[in-house]
Amino acid sequence: MNGTRHEEFRAYVAERGTVLLRAATQLTSDRGEAEDLLQAALAKTYLAWDRIEDPSAVDGYVRRAMVNTQISWWRRRKLDVYPTDRLPDRPVDDDHAGRSEMRDVLSRALRRLPERQRIAVMLRYYEDMSEREIAETLGVSVGTVKSTVSRGMTRLRELMTAS
């Protein structure tokens, strides 16, 4: 990569890093994992930087890399992670200071969803992907996507009304 392209990439990361980290945090629900996820996605983007011709497509490329990486990680550790009814205490991030109460409630409710439901809901409503696109991304049927999103939204409603 020549110096100019390298500087373009650095400028992109400096400009969009915070927004991309927020998206990664919503996918993982853990700040540390989100940072790892974003770093992995940016490494893939860096390697493909010369092939990305449309500057407006870079965010989409990074987000797709994050989703694909998260799915890969999820599949790899699927057998190692056992959900529980009790959530661990989490430190309060200074990042939440400006959020509205509703956004905070939604964020907490999303973190309480099972990972597969959370990813499906995030792809559907945060990334505005169609059910078919989500099915292709997750490697499942459209029916599975519909039922997963439906169960996730039902659970979100329950969690938000209980808060």
Side-chain angles (χ1 to χ4, degrees), residues 104-122:
D104 191 46
V105 169
L106 176 59
S107 182
R108 281 184 276 143
L110 278 168
R111 284 193 300 264
R112 293 186 63 193
L113 287 179
E115 187 169 14
R116 190 172 195 167
Q117 286 179 6
R118 183 177 60 250
I119 289 173
V121 168
M122 293 296 302

Side-chain angles (χ1 to χ4, degrees), residues 9 12 20 23-24 27-28 34 36-48 51-52 57-73 76 123 127 129 137:
F9 182 78
Y12 170 76
L20 294 170
L27 285 170
T28 64
D36 291 345
L37 178 62
L38 179 57
Q39 183 175 2
L42 287 174
K44 291 176 183 179
T45 305
Y46 182 81
L47 294 174
R51 294 190 311 266
I52 303 172
V58 177
D59 273 5
Y61 186 96
V62 175
R63 289 175 191 271
R64 177 59 63 142
M66 283 193 296
V67 168
N68 290 345
T69 302
Q70 177 64 14
I71 290 168
S72 174
W73 291 354
R76 215 174 330 164
L123 293 176
E127 297 298 324
M129 292 174 69
T137 300

